[in-house]
Amino acid sequence: MGMFEIIYDGHGGIPALSWSIKKDANPGFNLYDLSDRIRSRGWQIAAYAMPADREDLVIMRILVRHGFSRDMADLLISDLQHCVDFFGKHPVVNGSDADESSNFNHG
């Protein structure tokens, strides 16, 4: 899924992954839309804007719990691809924002 830019890959710290949409990518959705869509597949993946002086950067973050298997990771990737494919067929005209989405808020 080359439209995403990995921000943190979990090496040297907590077992997590965070990413944003690459600046030059126009996938037909934003991360708030993707977060809402992936929830329909049973996953809760937060999308939120960074704090002051970086509010322009919206990221998604996964925290990996003990017991998260390779099979679960494969299922997550498959479900994310399913959502990306959905948006390819049904581009979002007016994307969600933090106020319209049911996402995590650091506020």
Side-chain angles (χ1 to χ4, degrees):
M1 290 185 250
M3 70 191 68
F4 300 118
E5 178 178 355
I6 302 298
I7 295 170
Y8 178 73
D9 65 5
H11 284 84
I14 62 173
L17 177 71
S18 61
W19 69 90
S20 64
I21 294 176
K22 288 181 180 175
K23 290 179 184 178
D24 60 343
N26 186 10
F29 61 90
N30 64 39
L31 293 182
Y32 297 114
D33 299 322
L34 181 57
S35 180
D36 285 343
R37 187 78 193 167
I38 196 73
R39 190 173 294 108
S40 72
R41 312 239 356 133
W43 300 97
Q44 292 182 346
I45 305 175
Y48 52 91
M50 298 307 293
D53 297 328
R54 275 316 311 260
E55 298 97 344
D56 61 313
L57 177 62
V58 175
I59 70 167
M60 289 183 81
R61 179 185 67 189
I62 297 172
L63 296 172
V64 181
R65 291 193 272 188
H66 182 71
F68 188 78
S69 68
R70 174 63 187 232
D71 288 342
M72 290 177 74
D74 289 342
L75 181 59
L76 173 58
I77 296 299
S78 176
D79 284 343
L80 280 168
Q81 186 63 58
H82 182 272
C83 293
V84 168
D85 293 345
F86 173 85
F87 288 125
K89 295 175 185 167
H90 309 282
V92 176
V93 175
N94 296 312
S96 298
D97 62 19
D99 292 332
E100 296 169 333
S101 181
S102 56
N103 283 300
F104 180 82
N105 184 346
H106 275 292

